[in-house]
């Protein structure tokens, strides 16, 4: 099936980000051939083929297609070692039989992937949403990120408000350090986020949205609505309530496993307006969805990062709103 014009534009946008990836940036800027490896499972074969077909027009180099489910592990490892960058598209959390090791082909090549992590780009569980993730031009997202960070530097407070009365506030200032994921030099290729750490977050919010973590919350609960109330003080989860007994037990176990899991380490704002919804796929592009996500844990040894990606709510800097229920104001 021939890719649509919109799908082709998304592939062009992806290559615009790839040309700035640290693994290939120097070669691409110099116009030198870049050896790109495209590994895929059967579910992603069509997308991988379309990406490979676009390489000649969008990228100085060639793209080698490799079926991950049928290729020999030694052949995959050799291809990884020889390429300048490798993109793998495969199902993991969305497999019918989900295991903590992922699909069967991963384990024999895990060490090679770890040894070559600097040139690794993984689109796990993206499926057809790959085109959503790259629907917007990189430059548009970068401009949006820079505008929001400039607004933040002129502000003293960030506020997240919900229609049911949920509210979360935190202090910011001109020296606040923001990370911009905008496709320029990011190891994580999918653009569309600014993020910071705020140490005085305070309030109570009702969570509707999706989870992102190697802990299988997304697999078990999918996209949730008015699911759990979370009380936060000084950027610590101090209490929560949930009518779902299974989740209450799971979340309590997560919080108790390490004191660091209670800490809100990341205050993230998704800025990719091409991502139109949350799907509960445990896929990285979902945290680019416009609006708030809070990253718990991951800041101290033994803690575990868990993103709570909010489907709704209004974000404001000093009373100036900029996102409302997933839409840019």
């Amino acid at each position: 099936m021939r890719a649509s014009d919109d799908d082709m534009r998304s592939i062009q946008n992806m290559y615009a980000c790839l040309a700035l990836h640290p693994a290939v940036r120097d070669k691409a800027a110099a116009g030198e051939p870049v050896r790109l490896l495209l590994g895929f499972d059967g579910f992603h074969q069509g997308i991988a083929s379309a990406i490979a077909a676009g390489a000649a027009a969008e990228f100085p180099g060639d793209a080698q297609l490799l079926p991950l489910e049928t290729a020999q592990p030694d052949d995959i490892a050799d291809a990884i070692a020889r390429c300048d960058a490798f993109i793998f598209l495969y199902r993991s959390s969305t497999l019918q039989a989900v295991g903590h090791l992922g699909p069967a082909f991963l384990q024999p090549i895990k060490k090679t992937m770890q040894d070559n992590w600097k040139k690794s780009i993984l689109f796990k569980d993206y499926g057809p949403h790959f085109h959503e993730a790259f629907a917007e031009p990189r430059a548009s997202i970068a401009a949006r990120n820079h505008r929001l960070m400039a607004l933040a530097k002129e502000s003293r407070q960030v506020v997240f408000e919900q229609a049911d009365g949920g509210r979360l506030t935190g202090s910011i200032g001109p020296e606040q350090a923001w990370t911009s994921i905008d496709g320029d030099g990011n190891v994580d290729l999918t653009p569309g986020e600014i993020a910071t750490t705020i140490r005085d977050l305070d309030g109570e919010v009702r969570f509707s949205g999706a989870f992102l973590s190697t802990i299988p919350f997304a697999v078990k609960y999918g996209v949730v609505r008015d699911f759990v109330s979370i009380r936060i003080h000084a950027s610590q989860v101090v209490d929560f309530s949930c009518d779902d007994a299974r989740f209450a037990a799971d979340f309590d176990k997560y919080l108790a496993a390490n004191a660091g899991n209670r800490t809100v380490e990341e205050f993230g704002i998704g800025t990719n307006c091409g991502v139109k919804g949350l799907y509960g796929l445990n896929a990285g592009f979902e945290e680019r969805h416009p609006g708030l996500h809070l990253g718990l844990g991951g800041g101290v040894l033994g803690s575990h990062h868990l993103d709570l990606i909010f489907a709704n709510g209004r974000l404001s800097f000093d009373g100036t709103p900029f996102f409302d229920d997933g839409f840019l104001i």
Side-chain angles (χ1 to χ4, degrees), residues 45-301:
Q45 182 173 356
I47 299 168
S49 297
I51 293 172
E58 305 298 334
F59 209 60
D62 63 84
Q64 175 192 352
L65 284 166
L66 189 66
L68 296 171
E69 293 166 311
T70 57
Q72 293 299 310
D74 288 348
D75 292 338
I76 301 174
D78 182 61
I80 290 173
R82 287 186 290 105
C83 73
D84 294 311
F86 63 96
I87 294 175
F88 282 3
L89 304 100
Y90 60 89
R91 295 175 74 185
S92 181
S93 296
T94 55
L95 290 170
Q96 283 190 336
V98 180
H100 70 282
L101 298 178
F105 62 78
L106 275 187
Q107 200 58 26
I109 59 172
K110 183 177 180 180
K111 185 178 185 307
T112 302
M113 292 176 67
Q114 291 172 336
D115 291 344
N116 292 273
W117 69 268
K118 289 184 178 181
K119 55 184 181 179
S120 168
I121 301 161
L122 306 181
F123 294 136
K124 294 188 289 185
D125 297 298
Y126 275 48
H129 300 293
F130 169 89
H131 298 295
E132 235 177 291
F134 290 98
E136 278 201 290
R138 191 204 71 77
S140 297
I141 293 173
R144 184 177 302 129
N145 284 10
H146 294 155
R147 177 171 63 83
L148 291 177
M149 289 189 296
L151 179 62
K153 287 185 181 298
E154 298 298 320
S155 305
R156 294 296 176 267
Q157 187 183 58
V158 62
V159 179
F160 176 67
E161 298 171 289
Q162 297 174 305
D164 62 2
R167 181 179 171 91
L168 189 66
T169 64
S171 301
I172 53 176
E175 303 305 315
Q176 189 80 25
W178 291 88
T179 297
S180 177
I181 300 176
D182 56 19
D184 187 352
N186 305 123
V187 175
D188 188 343
L189 200 66
T190 306
E193 178 181 346
I194 61 173
T196 190
T197 299
I198 298 174
R199 292 305 184 193
D200 67 346
L201 289 173
D202 203 87
E204 184 169 353
V205 289
R206 186 79 173 164
F207 179 60
S208 296
F211 303 94
L212 179 62
S213 177
T214 55
I215 298 174
F217 284 113
V219 176
K220 288 183 71 172
Y221 302 105
V223 180
V224 299
R225 182 174 179 83
D226 294 331
F227 192 57
V228 55
S229 291
I230 302 173
R231 188 155 62 88
I232 296 170
H233 177 66
S235 295
Q236 299 288 312
V237 175
V238 295
D239 196 12
F240 76 93
S241 62
C242 179
D243 292 334
D244 187 307
R246 289 190 313 153
F247 178 78
D250 285 345
F251 196 49
D252 191 56
K253 183 178 180 181
Y254 165 75
L255 294 175
N258 186 290
N261 288 348
R262 289 186 175 270
T263 303
V264 183
E265 296 286 357
E266 176 191 7
F267 189 91
I269 300 171
T271 62
N272 187 330
C273 294
V275 179
K276 300 302 184 184
L278 295 173
Y279 306 101
L281 300 172
N282 205 39
F285 76 90
E286 293 187 85
E287 77 177 328
R288 309 298 194 241
H289 178 264
L292 175 68
H293 60 269
L294 298 177
L296 308 181
V300 299
L301 185 65

